[in-house]
Amino acid sequence: MLKIIDRYIIKKYLGTFSFMLILLSIVVLVIDVQQKIPRIENATLIDPKLNLTYFLIHFYPFWIINLIMTFLSILVFISVIYFTSRMANNTEIVAVISSGASFHRFAKPYLFTSLFIAALSLVVNHFVLPWANIKKNELEAYTYNQSNKEKVLGTAPVSAQLSKTEYIFVNSWNKREKRGSGFIFQKFDKNRKMMYELKANDVFWDKDKKLFVLNGYLEKTINKNDSEKLNNGAELRKSYGHAPEELFPNELLGQNKTTPELIKFIQREKEKGNSNLNTHLNELYQRTSMPVSIVILTFLALSLSSQKRRGGLGINLAVGISLAFIFVFSFEALKVVSENKSLSPGLAMWIPNIIFFPLALILYLRRANQ
């Protein structure tokens, strides 16, 4: 049964956290919209429906969900520091401890609330956030600067490895229009000798029939005696098992998949021989490591702010924001290190928790024994 002090602390925890969450969302939304209005206006030149109202309805709600989940553990950390520091300054914690309750008993509602938020975060990260990211990523490229927009929506050479013996190359592929030129499909035998080659002048994706349409194609089949059989035509429709987004994935693809889908995608790419999967593996491991950090950072914040000290709330917030910056920076830095294949993704995404857990434990035990 929850006692009065438990309900009081849980109410303080969730109330402060909710206030911080809403405040951050509104402030960041206003700032981001103001910064990106010129780019959104440029998007209307590509498609007239892509005006500011359209973005506010179809982009920013999902962008906010992504933002909240990215910084959720930091919001929790600062919220706990804020309301616990105020309790300490008002000598409420001293009163609870003086009544005979141990510090471990006082920390119990912090544990329950952090576990609740962490569990909710796990479900959202693994199953709800990918749905929001699909909506967000459909429009996010239009908010980029010109060079980054070109990387996502522009024209560039692409390639795909369908299996250990099958490859696709497109000399010029437009990612937004899903059409290109200079298409080549090659198939090899186990000795790496070419068995079949298909070339086409132009290619585009038929969304309704889920097929690639090849225009001006030339087929070449190489027999065992090295003789060649040629065939050409005006149009050929082919299926290569997946849509262009799957065959020519960008770094955002992993964000769009639920965890079971992402695991299947990574496994399929490994079977094809693709070794450039660290970006997607980072996404997979981060979905679990970030919710776990909520519990760790809750107890770190409790340990730092539960004792009245000179400087009061101000010094506690300063320390908290500094540690929050280190935590976020370490995550982002380790992502880059992992993507460069200098560190395994699993270790990279768990290192901040591995470092902060013993720190939180030491500070908590020291505070409990005072």
Side-chain angles (χ1 to χ4, degrees):
M1 290 290 293
L2 291 177
K3 295 187 177 180
I4 294 175
I5 185 61
D6 296 322
R7 290 194 293 270
Y8 178 73
I9 292 174
I10 290 172
K11 183 179 177 181
K12 284 270 190 181
Y13 192 140
L14 294 178
T16 306
F17 169 68
S18 300
F19 173 78
M20 293 275 191
L21 189 151
I22 294 169
L23 181 64
L24 174 75
S25 300
I26 294 173
V27 171
V28 174
L29 176 62
V30 171
I31 293 173
D32 194 78
V33 170
Q34 287 181 335
Q35 288 181 337
K36 292 177 178 174
I37 281 178
R39 297 175 187 174
I40 293 173
E41 289 174 347
N42 289 336
T44 59
L45 301 176
I46 300 172
D47 188 338
K49 76 175 182 180
L50 299 179
N51 53 34
L52 180 58
T53 302
Y54 188 88
F55 271 83
L56 289 174
I57 296 172
H58 296 92
F59 171 73
Y60 275 107
F62 309 105
W63 180 83
I64 286 291
I65 293 173
N66 180 275
L67 180 77
I68 289 170
M69 298 312 299
T70 300
F71 294 100
L72 187 64
S73 56
I74 302 305
L75 278 173
V76 166
F77 184 56
I78 295 175
S79 298
V80 173
I81 283 182
Y82 180 79
F83 84 81
T84 306
S85 295
R86 293 194 64 181
M87 289 178 66
N89 289 341
N90 295 334
T91 65
E92 293 175 73
I93 298 176
V94 172
V96 173
I97 303 298
S98 299
S99 68
S102 68
F103 188 77
H104 298 301
R105 177 63 186 85
F106 174 75
K108 199 173 180 180
Y110 286 84
L111 175 63
F112 290 157
T113 312
S114 64
L115 286 173
F116 170 74
I117 296 175
L120 189 62
S121 175
L122 270 173
V123 174
V124 172
N125 273 356
H126 286 283
F127 299 101
V128 180
L129 185 59
W131 164 79
N133 284 335
I134 291 173
K135 305 291 186 180
K136 173 184 76 75
N137 291 338
E138 286 176 355
L139 296 171
E140 187 165 34
Y142 294 102
T143 68
Y144 293 165
N145 59 37
Q146 191 57 40
S147 61
N148 289 331
K149 185 193 299 183
E150 189 66 22
K151 291 179 183 178
V152 179
L153 299 177
T155 301
V158 294
S159 61
Q161 184 175 348
L162 302 180
S163 68
K164 293 181 179 179
T165 59
E166 296 176 302
Y167 302 87
I168 289 177
F169 305 93
V170 183
N171 186 50
S172 178
W173 177 259
N174 187 285
K175 298 171 186 175
R176 184 173 67 88
E177 298 180 359
K178 297 180 183 177
R179 67 169 57 241
S181 60
F183 175 90
I184 301 174
F185 168 78
Q186 295 176 333
K187 185 174 182 179
F188 298 83
D189 63 16
K190 62 181 180 180
N191 297 318
R192 307 303 297 167
K193 180 182 177 181
M194 188 184 296
M195 301 168 54
Y196 175 81
E197 184 177 61
L198 173 62
K199 293 184 177 181
N201 295 329
D202 301 300
V203 58
F204 71 89
W205 173 250
D206 187 332
K207 185 177 179 180
D208 295 330
K209 297 184 179 179
K210 301 187 184 306
L211 294 170
F212 285 93
V213 180
L214 311 177
N215 295 318
Y217 70 91
L218 172 65
E219 285 183 295
K220 179 170 68 174
T221 303
I222 303 171
N223 301 316
K224 292 182 179 180
N225 60 2
D226 290 337
S227 62
E228 297 180 355
K229 179 182 177 181
L230 302 178
N231 180 39
N232 66 335
E235 183 179 288
L236 181 67
R237 295 175 179 267
K238 297 286 286 186
S239 172
Y240 293 105
H242 304 285
E245 296 84 358
E246 297 278 341
L247 290 177
F248 315 124
N250 57 36
E251 60 184 19
L252 300 178
L253 179 66
Q255 298 180 9
N256 297 351
K257 293 181 176 295
T258 63
T259 295
E261 293 170 344
L262 183 56
I263 291 171
K264 286 182 181 178
F265 170 76
I266 291 171
Q267 186 60 39
R268 187 174 72 239
E269 291 297 304
K270 285 182 177 178
E271 291 172 356
K272 287 160 49 177
N274 186 355
S275 60
N276 297 318
L277 295 171
N278 281 15
T279 299
H280 303 304
L281 288 168
N282 286 342
E283 174 68 25
L284 176 63
Y285 293 121
Q286 184 179 330
R287 291 180 181 182
T288 301
S289 66
M290 290 298 281
V292 170
S293 70
I294 289 173
V295 180
I296 296 172
L297 292 179
T298 291
F299 278 87
L300 180 59
L302 170 62
S303 305
L304 289 171
S305 58
S306 59
Q307 197 167 20
K308 190 172 183 179
R309 66 178 69 187
R310 183 178 297 177
L313 179 60
I315 190 65
N316 286 339
L317 283 176
V319 172
I321 291 171
S322 299
L323 287 172
F325 173 79
I326 293 171
F327 187 83
V328 172
F329 177 78
S330 64
F331 254 111
E332 295 306 314
L334 288 165
K335 274 186 186 179
V336 175
V337 172
S338 173
E339 288 168 6
N340 292 332
K341 300 184 178 180
S342 301
L343 193 65
S344 70
L347 181 59
M349 292 298 95
W350 280 93
I351 279 179
N353 286 345
I354 292 171
I355 293 174
F356 274 74
F357 173 72
L359 175 62
L361 181 62
I362 291 168
L363 292 176
Y364 173 78
L365 292 175
R366 181 182 296 176
R367 174 67 184 90
N369 293 326
Q370 286 179 345

